[in-house]
Amino acid sequence: MLPAKYGAGVSHGPSSTNSPAQAWAALAPLIAGQPRVRLSRDAGKTYPQKHERALTEALPTFPAAVRIFGKDGTCKAIFLDFDSSVEGIDWVEADVRAVQTWLHSCGARWIEDYSPNGGRHVYIPLEKRVTFSEARDLVEALGTRYRSLDKTPHQNLLHGCMRTPGSPHKRGGHQELAMSLNMAYDIARRPNSAKVWAAMNADLAGEIAGVKALRLEGTTTPAAEAPRIQHSTGRMSRTMQLMAQTGLYDTNRYVSDSEARQAIVTGAAAAGMELTEVERRMMQGTWPGLASFYARYASRHRVPALRRDWLKAVTYLRKNRQTRAGKNNARNSPTSQPNTQPPVIQGAPLSSNPDAEQRFIRSWRNGLRLKERSYTESRTGLARRMVLRALGEAAHMTASRFIEFGDRSIAVATGLDHTTVGSHLRVLRAEDDPLVTLVEQGRGTKGDLYMLTVPEDVKTAAEDLTWRKGKIHALRPVFRELGLPAAFVYEALEHSPGLSTAEIVKLTRLSRTAVTEALEVMAAWNMIARDTARVWSVVATTSLKDLAEHFGVLEAVAAQLQRYRIERILWKEWLSKNVNTVAELLSPGEDYPWEAFEGPPDEWSLADLAFTMAG
């Protein structure tokens, strides 16, 4: 019986008189894979990860989709999305009737709703949670029977989500139940047994075998498509990290989930990670793919199973290392020693007085604080402010006001495209009283040489201002996902904790709408918090590095770096063939070996990658 707070005691038919808010409050928490929901602020076009919130009983004002899979890589309901845009409403109706007949024959109970545009959703609650692989196999098998079924929500462990009954719709209106709320609530509270799940799989055995065979024939997965970057001990390969995050793997290489999970654990051990780090990533949802591979065990047995796999991995690696050492001893010189020196940062020559240069850079930062007030809140204005911060960070790293990095290095540091960076730099250096001056144009493989300049119109005020403590940051990786306004708001709170929303608006010179949205996004990820005095502060215990890994931002960085490296190689080849004299052609190994390290500290920014690379 539906509790009173959801409208118990009211008679409901297929055209339920229950409000969308009651349907959402009663059903969404019961069928979601985890208590998280994603909002669409672009009228239902996208449901980005940055707009994810805690799932509550309050009906969102935007189109909202609950997460299908939990942090452990399992789901407690199958979500079937019949899309009317594929073959039209009539085809959807026919497919839904066929699915209803099939479910009834398996002894299953289901919840059903419909969208204002004619789409239909069918939810099959399960008594026992099932793994990502199991759920994907079943939904893909059903997709071979029913043409209008959209399989993608169950094909993505990290981003699979769907609107549930009551959710606002992009065309207006809401997801409306095709049954009474009392009946839907009863089904959600008394889900289908393991026996029903077995019957569904048995009936689809042929189709499930077919979709598995199709994958085995060479259907690529995101893990296989990811850029393959050579690595040494200290960092997992990108392929292994993607497997751990998504639960997808190359079935030509790993024949089962067990083999895939052992490969991930071995990769983590080889990278120098600790067992506790792997456990934390599983428990906190950073590696739901790996967690899903252990979901077949009871909860109390999952960590012991991981530890057994870890011991196997360590034993294998030690034995393998000893074997290789025995083979290589004869060829190794007894006098050779490993290079323990850190990589040399590329860039302009260091000043003869680094302390004086650092003092100048801090004065320039004061000038930046004063001068950037003239930049608008537009996307272009925010991007130029970030380019200037990237130049300031590069100057601190080289202890010199002279900066010689190409547009591609600055693009990595700011999350922008290199052509966009070039256009911003041209505008910045052409200003009447610029913060940067072009000293020498790039030639050959060298980038443009810029010099930081304190504008005359703010010079006196900049010298009178107290130097701001701490670092100046370009775009830290997590803000590639959360956006530039969030980066500026977070920066303001780092330097001045305990600010009200109005004070943040004044300090950042962003609109109240932009600031409010940035605060909501970061509060949802526990990056900031508001106290009883209604002022905001940074949550020191939340790791920006962990969030960046959770968002998968490092994949975008890796792809951008790989693309730029290829472009530089092609450019060097062209120069060698077409230019007689090229000053200081770079050696192949001059790029900073960022992938050789397990990971940056929490204050790491993209500039740490970009400005140690050749332009």
Side-chain angles (χ1 to χ4, degrees):
M1 183 68 176
L2 192 67
K5 63 177 179 178
Y6 301 135
V10 181
S11 176
H12 306 295
S15 57
S16 173
T17 57
N18 279 100
S19 71
Q22 290 171 322
W24 174 272
L27 301 175
L30 292 179
I31 61 178
Q34 60 175 295
R36 301 288 288 179
V37 60
R38 291 188 181 178
L39 307 181
S40 176
R41 294 180 179 270
D42 56 3
K45 295 178 183 178
T46 61
Y47 293 83
Q49 192 171 14
K50 73 175 183 178
H51 291 318
E52 189 171 299
R53 302 283 189 275
L55 173 61
T56 66
E57 293 183 356
L59 179 65
T61 56
F62 297 95
V66 302
R67 291 283 301 275
I68 293 176
F69 295 98
K71 292 181 178 180
D72 61 352
T74 67
C75 61
K76 60 179 178 180
I78 299 297
F79 290 64
L80 303 181
D81 181 8
F82 294 90
D83 189 353
S84 61
S85 66
V86 178
E87 293 290 344
I89 296 176
D90 290 342
W91 201 296
V92 167
E93 294 291 342
D95 279 351
V96 170
R97 284 196 296 270
V99 165
Q100 291 172 340
T101 301
W102 174 72
L103 289 171
H104 181 73
S105 69
C106 295
R109 305 168 76 223
W110 65 92
I111 300 169
E112 186 182 336
D113 69 8
Y114 57 90
S115 305
N117 65 352
R120 302 289 285 267
H121 293 171
V122 174
Y123 314 89
I124 311 168
L126 302 171
E127 186 177 71
K128 181 181 179 182
R129 298 179 73 107
V130 298
T131 67
F132 167 67
S133 298
E134 293 170 330
R136 180 183 57 163
D137 287 345
L138 183 132
V139 173
E140 287 184 352
L142 282 174
T144 65
R145 290 187 179 182
Y146 308 114
R147 191 167 177 176
S148 65
L149 177 61
D150 181 4
K151 304 180 291 293
T152 56
H154 273 278
Q155 290 176 320
N156 196 313
L157 178 58
L158 293 175
H159 304 294
C161 57
M162 206 162 88
R163 295 187 312 277
T164 54
S167 170
H169 192 269
K170 61 184 178 181
R171 293 191 178 180
H174 300 79
Q175 291 293 129
E176 294 196 30
L177 283 168
M179 60 205 309
S180 74
L181 180 54
N182 274 332
M183 181 182 295
Y185 184 75
D186 179 69
I187 294 170
R189 290 297 301 269
R190 296 192 296 121
N192 294 285
S193 66
K195 182 178 179 181
V196 171
W197 173 251
M200 292 163 61
N201 278 271
D203 189 74
L204 289 170
E207 289 90 341
I208 290 175
V211 297
K212 286 183 176 180
L214 184 62
R215 275 188 235 126
L216 191 61
E217 288 173 5
T219 304
T220 58
T221 67
E225 294 173 348
R228 290 181 175 271
I229 301 174
Q230 295 299 318
H231 66 95
S232 60
T233 300
R235 186 174 184 86
M236 284 181 70
S237 71
R238 306 308 303 165
T239 299
M240 288 298 160
Q241 290 195 44
L242 272 176
M243 284 169 57
Q245 290 173 339
T246 66
L248 300 175
Y249 54 87
D250 184 353
T251 51
N252 289 297
R253 185 170 184 180
Y254 308 108
V255 299
S256 67
D257 289 0
S258 297
E259 288 193 12
R261 86 184 189 211
Q262 186 65 59
I264 295 168
V265 172
T266 304
M273 295 179 66
E274 299 288 340
L275 174 59
T276 53
E277 294 181 86
V278 178
E279 289 179 2
R280 176 178 60 80
R281 283 169 166 78
M282 281 180 54
M283 299 304 179
Q284 293 182 353
T286 303
W287 284 359
L290 179 60
S292 72
F293 296 150
Y294 288 95
R296 68 186 185 89
Y297 296 102
S299 298
R300 65 182 183 277
H301 296 313
R302 291 173 190 172
V303 171
L306 170 62
R307 291 175 179 170
R308 288 195 299 272
D309 289 344
W310 184 265
L311 289 175
K312 292 179 187 176
V314 171
T315 302
Y316 166 79
L317 291 170
R318 286 174 178 169
K319 186 180 298 183
N320 192 48
R321 189 177 296 117
Q322 290 170 358
T323 302
R324 285 186 299 168
K327 290 180 179 180
N328 295 333
N329 277 344
R331 287 178 287 180
N332 289 341
S333 168
T335 60
S336 62
Q337 296 293 330
N339 179 18
T340 59
Q341 297 301 313
V344 176
I345 295 175
Q346 304 297 322
L350 293 180
S351 166
S352 57
N353 190 344
D355 289 339
E357 286 295 284
Q358 294 287 12
R359 289 195 293 271
F360 173 84
I361 295 166
R362 290 193 176 276
S363 294
W364 177 86
R365 288 170 56 181
N366 285 345
L368 172 62
R369 289 166 58 191
L370 297 170
K371 189 78 173 178
E372 72 177 358
R373 294 174 182 174
S374 60
Y375 294 111
T376 64
E377 190 211 345
S378 68
R379 187 174 181 178
T380 298
L382 295 181
R384 287 177 185 163
R385 289 167 66 177
M386 191 55 69
V387 168
L388 288 168
R389 277 164 171 71
L391 294 174
E393 184 167 19
H396 271 309
M397 292 170 69
T398 57
S400 171
R401 73 188 72 185
F402 295 95
I403 305 150
E404 189 179 41
F405 295 107
D407 292 348
R408 286 172 174 79
S409 292
I410 299 173
V412 176
T414 57
L416 303 171
D417 183 76
H418 69 280
T419 57
T420 304
V421 169
S423 65
H424 288 321
L425 285 170
R426 285 191 292 273
V427 172
L428 289 169
R429 73 196 188 204
E431 292 180 346
D432 292 336
D433 225 349
L435 284 156
V436 291
T437 303
L438 179 63
V439 177
E440 185 177 292
Q441 286 193 332
R443 64 192 187 283
T445 57
K446 293 291 185 180
D448 293 337
L449 178 62
Y450 284 95
M451 179 180 69
L452 300 186
T453 308
V454 180
E456 289 295 331
D457 58 347
V458 296
K459 192 170 186 177
T460 302
E463 291 173 350
D464 291 341
L465 273 178
T466 303
W467 287 340
R468 176 173 279 183
K469 295 180 180 179
K471 291 185 176 183
I472 181 173
H473 290 287
L475 191 71
R476 284 170 281 194
V478 67
F479 295 109
R480 279 199 175 204
E481 174 70 21
L482 302 183
L484 289 177
F488 288 116
V489 171
Y490 192 86
E491 176 191 75
L493 291 172
E494 279 183 310
H495 292 294
S496 304
L499 296 176
S500 66
T501 301
E503 290 170 330
I504 296 172
V505 170
K506 182 178 180 180
L507 193 60
T508 60
R509 305 191 72 79
L510 299 172
S511 71
R512 189 176 184 89
T513 300
V515 168
T516 300
E517 181 175 328
L519 291 172
E520 289 177 356
V521 167
M522 291 191 289
W525 292 102
N526 199 37
M527 297 169 64
I528 60 174
R530 186 163 58 177
D531 62 16
T532 54
R534 301 186 68 78
V535 296
W536 296 92
S537 297
V538 167
V539 178
T541 55
T542 299
S543 167
L544 300 190
K545 171 194 166 186
D546 289 349
L547 278 178
E549 183 179 359
H550 180 80
F551 289 146
V553 174
L554 298 187
E555 301 307 321
V557 179
Q560 189 177 19
L561 285 168
Q562 183 76 350
R563 184 171 73 252
Y564 289 164
R565 282 172 178 161
I566 293 171
E567 290 174 359
R568 283 200 304 278
I569 290 171
L570 295 175
W571 173 239
K572 292 171 193 176
E573 290 178 352
W574 185 92
L575 286 173
S576 65
K577 294 176 182 177
N578 295 276
V579 181
N580 293 328
T581 303
V582 180
E584 301 180 44
L585 276 173
L586 301 178
S587 64
E590 196 167 350
D591 289 343
Y592 178 64
W594 71 276
E595 68 275 10
F597 299 92
E598 157 55 24
D602 285 352
E603 67 270 16
W604 172 70
S605 72
L606 297 183
D608 292 302
L609 300 182
F611 298 138
T612 48
M613 295 167 30

mmCIF file with all atom_site columns, all heavy atoms in Angstrom, residues 227 229 554-564:
data_model
loop_
_atom_site.group_PDB
_atom_site.id
_atom_site.type_symbol
_atom_site.label_atom_id
_atom_site.label_alt_id
_atom_site.label_comp_id
_atom_site.label_asym_id
_atom_site.label_entity_id
_atom_site.label_seq_id
_atom_site.pdbx_PDB_ins_code
_atom_site.Cartn_x
_atom_site.Cartn_y
_atom_site.Cartn_z
_atom_site.occupancy
_atom_site.B_iso_or_equiv
_atom_site.pdbx_formal_charge
_atom_site.auth_seq_id
_atom_site.auth_comp_id
_atom_site.auth_asym_id
_atom_site.auth_atom_id
_atom_site.pdbx_PDB_model_num
ATOM 1   N N   . PRO A 1 227 ? 43.743 6.008  -26.736 1.00 0.00 ? 227 PRO A N   1
ATOM 2   C CA  . PRO A 1 227 ? 45.130 6.114  -27.177 1.00 0.00 ? 227 PRO A CA  1
ATOM 3   C C   . PRO A 1 227 ? 46.045 5.254  -26.326 1.00 0.00 ? 227 PRO A C   1
ATOM 4   O O   . PRO A 1 227 ? 45.982 5.282  -25.105 1.00 0.00 ? 227 PRO A O   1
ATOM 5   C CB  . PRO A 1 227 ? 45.435 7.613  -26.989 1.00 0.00 ? 227 PRO A CB  1
ATOM 6   C CG  . PRO A 1 227 ? 44.410 8.108  -26.037 1.00 0.00 ? 227 PRO A CG  1
ATOM 7   C CD  . PRO A 1 227 ? 43.199 7.277  -26.274 1.00 0.00 ? 227 PRO A CD  1
ATOM 8   N N   . ILE A 1 229 ? 49.360 4.606  -24.748 1.00 0.00 ? 229 ILE A N   1
ATOM 9   C CA  . ILE A 1 229 ? 50.523 5.395  -24.376 1.00 0.00 ? 229 ILE A CA  1
ATOM 10  C C   . ILE A 1 229 ? 51.490 4.510  -23.618 1.00 0.00 ? 229 ILE A C   1
ATOM 11  O O   . ILE A 1 229 ? 51.116 3.841  -22.657 1.00 0.00 ? 229 ILE A O   1
ATOM 12  C CB  . ILE A 1 229 ? 50.104 6.595  -23.507 1.00 0.00 ? 229 ILE A CB  1
ATOM 13  C CG1 . ILE A 1 229 ? 49.104 7.454  -24.291 1.00 0.00 ? 229 ILE A CG1 1
ATOM 14  C CG2 . ILE A 1 229 ? 51.298 7.416  -23.097 1.00 0.00 ? 229 ILE A CG2 1
ATOM 15  C CD1 . ILE A 1 229 ? 48.518 8.570  -23.482 1.00 0.00 ? 229 ILE A CD1 1
ATOM 16  N N   . LEU A 1 554 ? 41.193 12.810 -17.502 1.00 0.00 ? 554 LEU A N   1
ATOM 17  C CA  . LEU A 1 554 ? 42.541 12.507 -17.965 1.00 0.00 ? 554 LEU A CA  1
ATOM 18  C C   . LEU A 1 554 ? 42.533 11.862 -19.344 1.00 0.00 ? 554 LEU A C   1
ATOM 19  O O   . LEU A 1 554 ? 43.526 11.933 -20.064 1.00 0.00 ? 554 LEU A O   1
ATOM 20  C CB  . LEU A 1 554 ? 43.254 11.600 -16.957 1.00 0.00 ? 554 LEU A CB  1
ATOM 21  C CG  . LEU A 1 554 ? 43.447 12.204 -15.556 1.00 0.00 ? 554 LEU A CG  1
ATOM 22  C CD1 . LEU A 1 554 ? 44.305 11.280 -14.702 1.00 0.00 ? 554 LEU A CD1 1
ATOM 23  C CD2 . LEU A 1 554 ? 44.076 13.580 -15.640 1.00 0.00 ? 554 LEU A CD2 1
ATOM 24  N N   . GLU A 1 555 ? 41.422 11.246 -19.718 1.00 0.00 ? 555 GLU A N   1
ATOM 25  C CA  . GLU A 1 555 ? 41.328 10.682 -21.062 1.00 0.00 ? 555 GLU A CA  1
ATOM 26  C C   . GLU A 1 555 ? 41.350 11.788 -22.103 1.00 0.00 ? 555 GLU A C   1
ATOM 27  O O   . GLU A 1 555 ? 41.998 11.663 -23.149 1.00 0.00 ? 555 GLU A O   1
ATOM 28  C CB  . GLU A 1 555 ? 40.041 9.866  -21.196 1.00 0.00 ? 555 GLU A CB  1
ATOM 29  C CG  . GLU A 1 555 ? 39.895 8.721  -20.219 1.00 0.00 ? 555 GLU A CG  1
ATOM 30  C CD  . GLU A 1 555 ? 41.090 7.808  -20.232 1.00 0.00 ? 555 GLU A CD  1
ATOM 31  O OE1 . GLU A 1 555 ? 41.637 7.544  -21.317 1.00 0.00 ? 555 GLU A OE1 1
ATOM 32  O OE2 . GLU A 1 555 ? 41.504 7.361  -19.149 1.00 0.00 ? 555 GLU A OE2 1
ATOM 33  N N   . ALA A 1 556 ? 40.649 12.876 -21.843 1.00 0.00 ? 556 ALA A N   1
ATOM 34  C CA  . ALA A 1 556 ? 40.643 13.998 -22.782 1.00 0.00 ? 556 ALA A CA  1
ATOM 35  C C   . ALA A 1 556 ? 42.029 14.629 -22.866 1.00 0.00 ? 556 ALA A C   1
ATOM 36  O O   . ALA A 1 556 ? 42.484 15.013 -23.947 1.00 0.00 ? 556 ALA A O   1
ATOM 37  C CB  . ALA A 1 556 ? 39.610 15.048 -22.343 1.00 0.00 ? 556 ALA A CB  1
ATOM 38  N N   . VAL A 1 557 ? 42.705 14.732 -21.720 1.00 0.00 ? 557 VAL A N   1
ATOM 39  C CA  . VAL A 1 557 ? 44.056 15.293 -21.714 1.00 0.00 ? 557 VAL A CA  1
ATOM 40  C C   . VAL A 1 557 ? 44.998 14.397 -22.506 1.00 0.00 ? 557 VAL A C   1
ATOM 41  O O   . VAL A 1 557 ? 45.789 14.869 -23.334 1.00 0.00 ? 557 VAL A O   1
ATOM 42  C CB  . VAL A 1 557 ? 44.580 15.445 -20.269 1.00 0.00 ? 557 VAL A CB  1
ATOM 43  C CG1 . VAL A 1 557 ? 45.998 15.997 -20.269 1.00 0.00 ? 557 VAL A CG1 1
ATOM 44  C CG2 . VAL A 1 557 ? 43.664 16.358 -19.463 1.00 0.00 ? 557 VAL A CG2 1
ATOM 45  N N   . ALA A 1 558 ? 44.910 13.082 -22.273 1.00 0.00 ? 558 ALA A N   1
ATOM 46  C CA  . ALA A 1 558 ? 45.786 12.143 -22.968 1.00 0.00 ? 558 ALA A CA  1
ATOM 47  C C   . ALA A 1 558 ? 45.567 12.207 -24.476 1.00 0.00 ? 558 ALA A C   1
ATOM 48  O O   . ALA A 1 558 ? 46.526 12.192 -25.258 1.00 0.00 ? 558 ALA A O   1
ATOM 49  C CB  . ALA A 1 558 ? 45.537 10.725 -22.460 1.00 0.00 ? 558 ALA A CB  1
ATOM 50  N N   . ALA A 1 559 ? 44.306 12.296 -24.894 1.00 0.00 ? 559 ALA A N   1
ATOM 51  C CA  . ALA A 1 559 ? 44.007 12.360 -26.326 1.00 0.00 ? 559 ALA A CA  1
ATOM 52  C C   . ALA A 1 559 ? 44.551 13.644 -26.939 1.00 0.00 ? 559 ALA A C   1
ATOM 53  O O   . ALA A 1 559 ? 45.079 13.639 -28.058 1.00 0.00 ? 559 ALA A O   1
ATOM 54  C CB  . ALA A 1 559 ? 42.499 12.261 -26.535 1.00 0.00 ? 559 ALA A CB  1
ATOM 55  N N   . GLN A 1 560 ? 44.406 14.754 -26.222 1.00 0.00 ? 560 GLN A N   1
ATOM 56  C CA  . GLN A 1 560 ? 44.908 16.038 -26.725 1.00 0.00 ? 560 GLN A CA  1
ATOM 57  C C   . GLN A 1 560 ? 46.432 16.021 -26.837 1.00 0.00 ? 560 GLN A C   1
ATOM 58  O O   . GLN A 1 560 ? 47.000 16.456 -27.838 1.00 0.00 ? 560 GLN A O   1
ATOM 59  C CB  . GLN A 1 560 ? 44.450 17.170 -25.805 1.00 0.00 ? 560 GLN A CB  1
ATOM 60  C CG  . GLN A 1 560 ? 44.739 18.562 -26.345 1.00 0.00 ? 560 GLN A CG  1
ATOM 61  C CD  . GLN A 1 560 ? 44.200 19.664 -25.443 1.00 0.00 ? 560 GLN A CD  1
ATOM 62  O OE1 . GLN A 1 560 ? 43.920 19.428 -24.267 1.00 0.00 ? 560 GLN A OE1 1
ATOM 63  N NE2 . GLN A 1 560 ? 44.050 20.860 -25.969 1.00 0.00 ? 560 GLN A NE2 1
ATOM 64  N N   . LEU A 1 561 ? 47.098 15.498 -25.816 1.00 0.00 ? 561 LEU A N   1
ATOM 65  C CA  . LEU A 1 561 ? 48.557 15.404 -25.852 1.00 0.00 ? 561 LEU A CA  1
ATOM 66  C C   . LEU A 1 561 ? 49.025 14.515 -27.002 1.00 0.00 ? 561 LEU A C   1
ATOM 67  O O   . LEU A 1 561 ? 49.981 14.848 -27.716 1.00 0.00 ? 561 LEU A O   1
ATOM 68  C CB  . LEU A 1 561 ? 49.075 14.844 -24.525 1.00 0.00 ? 561 LEU A CB  1
ATOM 69  C CG  . LEU A 1 561 ? 49.062 15.792 -23.326 1.00 0.00 ? 561 LEU A CG  1
ATOM 70  C CD1 . LEU A 1 561 ? 49.310 15.018 -22.047 1.00 0.00 ? 561 LEU A CD1 1
ATOM 71  C CD2 . LEU A 1 561 ? 50.100 16.882 -23.493 1.00 0.00 ? 561 LEU A CD2 1
ATOM 72  N N   . GLN A 1 562 ? 48.362 13.384 -27.167 1.00 0.00 ? 562 GLN A N   1
ATOM 73  C CA  . GLN A 1 562 ? 48.744 12.462 -28.232 1.00 0.00 ? 562 GLN A CA  1
ATOM 74  C C   . GLN A 1 562 ? 48.576 13.120 -29.594 1.00 0.00 ? 562 GLN A C   1
ATOM 75  O O   . GLN A 1 562 ? 49.432 12.976 -30.478 1.00 0.00 ? 562 GLN A O   1
ATOM 76  C CB  . GLN A 1 562 ? 47.895 11.195 -28.139 1.00 0.00 ? 562 GLN A CB  1
ATOM 77  C CG  . GLN A 1 562 ? 48.257 10.113 -29.154 1.00 0.00 ? 562 GLN A CG  1
ATOM 78  C CD  . GLN A 1 562 ? 49.525 9.373  -28.779 1.00 0.00 ? 562 GLN A CD  1
ATOM 79  O OE1 . GLN A 1 562 ? 50.231 9.778  -27.865 1.00 0.00 ? 562 GLN A OE1 1
ATOM 80  N NE2 . GLN A 1 562 ? 49.820 8.306  -29.496 1.00 0.00 ? 562 GLN A NE2 1
ATOM 81  N N   . ARG A 1 563 ? 47.483 13.833 -29.783 1.00 0.00 ? 563 ARG A N   1
ATOM 82  C CA  . ARG A 1 563 ? 47.243 14.497 -31.066 1.00 0.00 ? 563 ARG A CA  1
ATOM 83  C C   . ARG A 1 563 ? 48.309 15.547 -31.351 1.00 0.00 ? 563 ARG A C   1
ATOM 84  O O   . ARG A 1 563 ? 48.838 15.637 -32.462 1.00 0.00 ? 563 ARG A O   1
ATOM 85  C CB  . ARG A 1 563 ? 45.857 15.150 -31.052 1.00 0.00 ? 563 ARG A CB  1
ATOM 86  C CG  . ARG A 1 563 ? 45.478 15.791 -32.381 1.00 0.00 ? 563 ARG A CG  1
ATOM 87  C CD  . ARG A 1 563 ? 44.033 16.233 -32.392 1.00 0.00 ? 563 ARG A CD  1
ATOM 88  N NE  . ARG A 1 563 ? 43.802 17.415 -31.584 1.00 0.00 ? 563 ARG A NE  1
ATOM 89  C CZ  . ARG A 1 563 ? 43.175 17.426 -30.419 1.00 0.00 ? 563 ARG A CZ  1
ATOM 90  N NH1 . ARG A 1 563 ? 42.747 16.284 -29.903 1.00 0.00 ? 563 ARG A NH1 1
ATOM 91  N NH2 . ARG A 1 563 ? 42.979 18.549 -29.757 1.00 0.00 ? 563 ARG A NH2 1
ATOM 92  N N   . TYR A 1 564 ? 48.653 16.322 -30.322 1.00 0.00 ? 564 TYR A N   1
ATOM 93  C CA  . TYR A 1 564 ? 49.658 17.364 -30.516 1.00 0.00 ? 564 TYR A CA  1
ATOM 94  C C   . TYR A 1 564 ? 51.043 16.782 -30.761 1.00 0.00 ? 564 TYR A C   1
ATOM 95  O O   . TYR A 1 564 ? 51.852 17.331 -31.513 1.00 0.00 ? 564 TYR A O   1
ATOM 96  C CB  . TYR A 1 564 ? 49.680 18.301 -29.308 1.00 0.00 ? 564 TYR A CB  1
ATOM 97  C CG  . TYR A 1 564 ? 48.465 19.198 -29.205 1.00 0.00 ? 564 TYR A CG  1
ATOM 98  C CD1 . TYR A 1 564 ? 48.162 19.873 -28.025 1.00 0.00 ? 564 TYR A CD1 1
ATOM 99  C CD2 . TYR A 1 564 ? 47.607 19.368 -30.288 1.00 0.00 ? 564 TYR A CD2 1
ATOM 100 C CE1 . TYR A 1 564 ? 47.045 20.696 -27.936 1.00 0.00 ? 564 TYR A CE1 1
ATOM 101 C CE2 . TYR A 1 564 ? 46.488 20.176 -30.202 1.00 0.00 ? 564 TYR A CE2 1
ATOM 102 C CZ  . TYR A 1 564 ? 46.214 20.841 -29.023 1.00 0.00 ? 564 TYR A CZ  1
ATOM 103 O OH  . TYR A 1 564 ? 45.114 21.652 -28.935 1.00 0.00 ? 564 TYR A OH  1
#
